[in-house]
Amino acid sequence: MKDGLGKKYDPASVESRWYRWWEENGFFHSDPSDGGEPYCIVIPPPNVTGILHMGHALNNTIQDVLIRWKRMQGFNTLWVPGTDHAGIATQNVVERQLAEEGRTRHDLGREAFEKRVWEWRRKYGRTITDQLRKLGASCDWKRERFTMDEGLSAAVAEVFVRLYEKGLVYRGNYIINWCPRCRTALSDEESEHREMSGKLYYIRYPVKGARRKDSVVVATTRPETMLGDVAVAVNPRDERYVHLKGKTLILPIVNRELPVIADDFVDPEFGTGVVKVTPAHDPNDFEMGRRHGLEPLNVMNDDGTMNEAAGPYSGMDRFECREKLVEDLSEGGYLEKIEEHRHAVGHCYRCNTMVEPRLSEQWFVKMKPLARPAIEAVKEGRIRFIPERWTKVYLEWMENIRDWCISRQIWWGHRIPVFYCGQCNHEWAARVRPQECPQCGGTQIRQEEDVLDTWFSSWLWPFSVFGWPEKTADLDFYYPTDTLVTASEIIFFWVARMIMSGLEFMGEIPFSRVYIHGTVRDDSGRKMSKSLGNSIDPLTIIEKYSADALRFSLVRITATGQDVYLSDEKFEIGRNFCTKIWNAARYMQMHTAELPPDFADPQFDPTLLSPDDKHILARLNTAISTCTQNLERFRFNDVARELHEFFWHQFCDWYVEYSKEILYGKDEPRRRQVLKVMHHVFSAALRLLHPLMPFITEELWHGLGYGGGSESIMKSAWPTARDYEVLASWGINGDVVDYIDAKHDLIRVARMLRADCGLSPGLKVKYIVKPVGESQAGRLESDRVSLAALLRAEEIRIDRGYEPERATPSRVSRLGTVYLPIEGLLDIEAEITRLTRQLEKVTDDLQRVTRKLENMDFLERAPREVVAAQESRKHELLEKSDKIKKLILTLSEHEASRR
């Protein structure tokens, strides 16, 4: 047996030591030549700018649980790590650095700026991957990829050229989402819509040639864009405006003439039923303009300032222009009124700047042809979403998919591989930079300035990481991958696009199961974010509680697909669990001179096993089955609950306590048998726990001498449940298990009885048990010594005919009624006084909770978890009140019978 475990678990030294050992020994690495059945996960690549947050911690813990479990099951497991170049986010970081130096990227020029970003990446790019190591992520770091590395860049170019040559990539002038801060186009998914309080401005547009009072009122939320109006529209069936047919309106302030057009798109119920038509600044107006042959007029620069077409407002910021224009409209008598208005406004997903719909020439991918097979793959069940409800969300988006704007007006990223000949104006796409024009042979060649959307490299991730377009052994063996673990907010950004690209370029789905976990929120239900100041740093939690505590606590409180509600205190669950496991291991080590030779795969003699031995072996078998089934069903919280229940209660609270009488005794054969049972159970339980808590399980695996001292627990076999025949051969059956469960119930009842009477745990008391039947009486009689030890009782009497002479505190258990004679143990009058005061407090608490639950404002406003907690509290208080009342009555009757 190895030297003793420390008195306290020291996670800081343990975690760094074991992770280094795992990595140095290549335990995370796999190879197709190893054979076996593959199980592969590709990590959702975090941004190279990122630092570990709780969303990452949850996502990567779940992935690691799956990988470690499958590795122990004997699969050829591979978890591919990597980072995303994060075009806009990374460029923003480096531009901020340059700003501190008083420079811009334009001062450096494109080539020098790109070099500066690569230098930043070499210096800071390992931050998040190092943090994933602290979390315990068992990624194959030898296969780490970066979306801008040479291999992935080649895959990006290959895909673009194929799509271009297939006619699925095109360039056109369309309304796109434009970020004035980042000065780039954004896809629809990158423009995050948020409900905001705004204003609805009602503006009078005079009718040409008519009296001033005959003007038409138009409602808009963005008055600054009226400077780009080219028409005014009404619904052709709106009888209020039939008289405007063929009329011309005058645009206030700038006096531009605007035709009145009729279009079915106009909603007669919105505002006044008359809308301004601004094709260069609104997607719906753009389509309306195309239908009516209207020429768009762009009045904004790419930085959100007004351009020359805005007339007197040229050079102003868009919001400054709004304020000045509204003032001028009011002074000119054109502003009828302003109303408060709630509406959804797009914001840049990277910098939170309000997005501006803007007419711009961009590159797009035609998505409908790519979406069709991806829709069928999910409908046919080849790809399954967990929870199932996300299938509908996916299908609805895919069936209404819009073309993807893939060009970005930034410098950091994959430059679009389209080239232009300066001599013959030929345009073509190429995988590598050409030396001459394929059409005229000219050498005056320039490349497209824009770069590709960051997601254009990410959508190729499941196969590009394996060397595609080359045919590699890795690609052949590990693709398609198995499970994708991700969050709901990137189903459209990433998941759907990966499915489309896998089917288009590999001819196969990229993964078969998509597990969507919830969003991490604070205890009040708000999404964790820096701006709200409610985020919890995972590294701080690791330092304070341990990586295992973080992992276990996250998994324990995360129901399948539900949001996660966190507070600092919730990580105490994992820390306390670590302490409980550690103390149990120290107790076992203290009593073990050397390990039983066959503890790992024992053959037990049923004649040497007590009912308690058989019970813990049966409970282990149930835990193995339950954990395995729940992992297969992605019910990670149920795995954690089962292990917590088994380790803490079944093993520590019951079997370890039961063992003390034997291990501190002199019956050597029984000692050996109990230790054999304990080590068999504990070693199996450590393996069940390893995917969730890898560090402490590795430390105890070695500390207790399991695996010969050199084998990692992650290379040991996942426990398998025993067949019924094996359990029967050990004398384990339902009757034995039921009896010990009932015995535990009796012990709980007896302990509560002692506590009800205010008697300290150390006080020696006597119990009398009146069994419910003869068979129970016989078993209890043979178990009296064990019962007395577990109850710290001076004496336990089993008496089927017992009838108390006077009122005696009692409780009913499954095996019989437990009585606690109290003569000489307490001052009954003082105890009644104490219980009466306790009842008064409980009554006050109950009244407060009841008032809260009767308050409709509380019920409507409070998070459902808070309401549920109050309802549970009310139930507890009612039970407590009832129990105290009954005990006061019993003690009062007992005292009366003595007089």
Side-chain angles (χ1 to χ4, degrees), residues 14 253 419 439 517 526 528 534 584 659 804:
V14 165
I253 307 299
F419 301 89
Q439 189 154 300
H517 60 71
R526 299 177 304 168
M528 285 194 172
N534 65 343
S659 74

Side-chain angles (χ1 to χ4, degrees), residues 734-752:
D735 184 49
V736 171
V737 173
D738 287 346
Y739 167 68
I740 297 300
D741 283 343
K743 173 183 170 182
H744 292 167
D745 176 61
L746 184 145
I747 292 166
R748 274 191 294 267
V749 163
R751 288 171 177 170
M752 284 191 286

Side-chain angles (χ1 to χ4, degrees), residues 24-39:
E24 287 172 354
N25 284 276
F27 290 135
F28 305 154
H29 183 63
S30 63
D31 193 89
S33 62
D34 297 336
E37 186 177 346
Y39 181 85

Side-chain angles (χ1 to χ4, degrees), residues 486-585:
T486 190
S488 61
E489 54 260 34
I490 56 174
I491 289 177
F492 313 133
F493 276 129
W494 193 47
V495 180
R497 290 172 182 165
M498 282 192 292
I499 295 172
M500 288 185 272
S501 69
L503 290 165
E504 173 69 15
F505 302 109
M506 290 295 297
E508 286 187 84
I509 56 173
F511 31 73
S512 56
R513 291 171 298 183
V514 181
Y515 177 75
I516 305 292
H517 60 71
T519 300
V520 178
R521 302 183 181 277
D522 65 17
D523 252 359
S524 300
R526 299 177 304 168
K527 185 175 179 179
M528 285 194 172
S529 69
K530 288 181 183 176
S531 60
L532 288 175
N534 65 343
S535 57
I536 299 174
D537 183 357
L539 298 178
T540 302
I541 297 300
I542 288 172
E543 187 177 336
K544 184 176 179 180
Y545 295 105
S546 82
D548 284 335
L550 169 71
R551 291 167 62 113
F552 184 84
S553 301
L554 275 176
V555 173
R556 175 80 162 68
I557 62 176
T558 304
T560 304
Q562 300 299 310
D563 287 350
V564 187
Y565 296 86
L566 276 184
S567 63
D568 217 51
E569 297 73 31
K570 288 186 178 177
F571 297 102
E572 293 175 6
I573 299 169
R575 182 190 61 188
N576 295 343
F577 193 32
C578 284
T579 301
K580 190 80 168 179
I581 297 164
W582 186 261
N583 289 340

